[in-house]
Amino acid sequence: MAAIDWGSVPTWFSAIGTTGSLIATLTIVLRDRRKDEREDAACLAIWVDPDEKFDSWRPVLRLHNAAGRPVFDVILHCVWFDRDVETGERWTEMRREPLAAVVRAGAELKLPGSYYMDHVTFRDAHQVAWRYDLENKILTREPDRLLIRTCRSTQSWVRRQRTRVVRAWRRRRSDGGEAAPEEAS
């Protein structure tokens, strides 16, 4: 039995060093990309002005877009608490109030708020969805609903195709053709 030739030690160190530098480069590139994405979203200032009233009872919600690009689909999410009169049971409801379709670069808006404001969602110029929590003043990236919807629709398409193929095989079998494959669950 012949001995296995593993190559030279410098070749192994070179391969490990190259792989490590590639991983470090990819990590840095991804970190910088996330930082650039967040930069535009962080330039949208959102605050509640409790001293000023929009009308007789609603506070003013102010938005100032200090970014160089517009933001889109600004929506205020409000939580409403109530109690059922008959049963005394408490319930909550999340309401969405569209505020602005587009907030231009450098624009400042004065919008009607609500006493039950929870968070504001918007999309930046790259169509990335963001959520700004009004109570904790935290900006977070929202999961991409379109991607989630696309994955779900793809899964259901695959399920429909599998069902269609199994039914076709069963029809062929009942007509005296080939044997049907077992249906996978």
Side-chain angles (χ1 to χ4, degrees):
M1 192 158 156
I4 299 173
D5 181 21
W6 290 99
S8 64
V9 173
T11 305
W12 279 95
F13 280 125
S14 173
I16 291 170
T18 302
T19 304
S21 65
L22 180 64
I23 290 171
T25 302
L26 287 174
T27 304
I28 292 169
V29 167
L30 290 174
R31 184 194 66 202
D32 289 347
R33 182 174 176 216
R34 279 191 219 114
K35 183 177 149 188
D36 289 344
E37 284 179 351
R38 188 175 180 86
E39 196 172 290
D40 278 348
C43 289
L44 182 69
I46 305 170
W47 72 97
V48 178
D49 192 351
D51 298 331
E52 188 177 355
K53 300 290 183 210
F54 193 80
D55 50 23
S56 62
W57 65 276
R58 292 191 290 185
V60 171
L61 180 70
R62 292 185 179 269
L63 282 84
H64 177 70
N65 185 6
R69 291 175 260 195
V71 295
F72 305 95
D73 304 329
V74 181
I75 300 172
L76 174 65
H77 297 261
C78 301
V79 179
W80 294 88
F81 301 96
D82 208 347
R83 184 179 298 270
D84 191 350
V85 177
E86 295 173 4
T87 64
E89 186 177 314
R90 294 191 72 170
W91 55 271
T92 60
E93 176 184 354
M94 181 66 81
R95 293 187 185 174
R96 297 173 50 169
E97 298 178 18
L99 297 178
V102 178
V103 180
R104 294 185 325 262
E108 183 169 335
L109 300 179
K110 182 174 155 182
L111 302 163
S114 168
Y115 283 106
Y116 305 106
M117 295 182 285
D118 185 53
H119 65 275
V120 175
T121 57
F122 61 94
R123 292 190 170 273
D124 64 9
H126 301 292
Q127 294 303 309
V128 176
W130 295 94
R131 172 188 175 134
Y132 182 76
D133 188 343
L134 291 167
E135 183 178 345
N136 300 321
K137 298 180 178 28
I138 298 174
L139 179 68
T140 55
R141 186 174 176 169
E142 285 278 280
D144 192 359
R145 304 278 184 231
L146 179 62
L147 181 63
I148 292 169
R149 225 178 3 248
T150 302
C151 290
R152 286 183 184 152
S153 66
T154 302
Q155 289 171 354
S156 61
W157 179 84
V158 169
R159 221 176 291 120
R160 285 192 309 269
Q161 296 305 314
R162 184 180 66 218
T163 304
R164 199 186 76 177
V165 167
V166 168
R167 285 181 183 159
W169 276 98
R170 285 182 180 163
R171 271 197 305 271
R172 285 178 66 186
R173 190 175 121 204
S174 66
D175 293 342
E178 299 175 23
E182 293 298 317
E183 183 176 348
S185 54

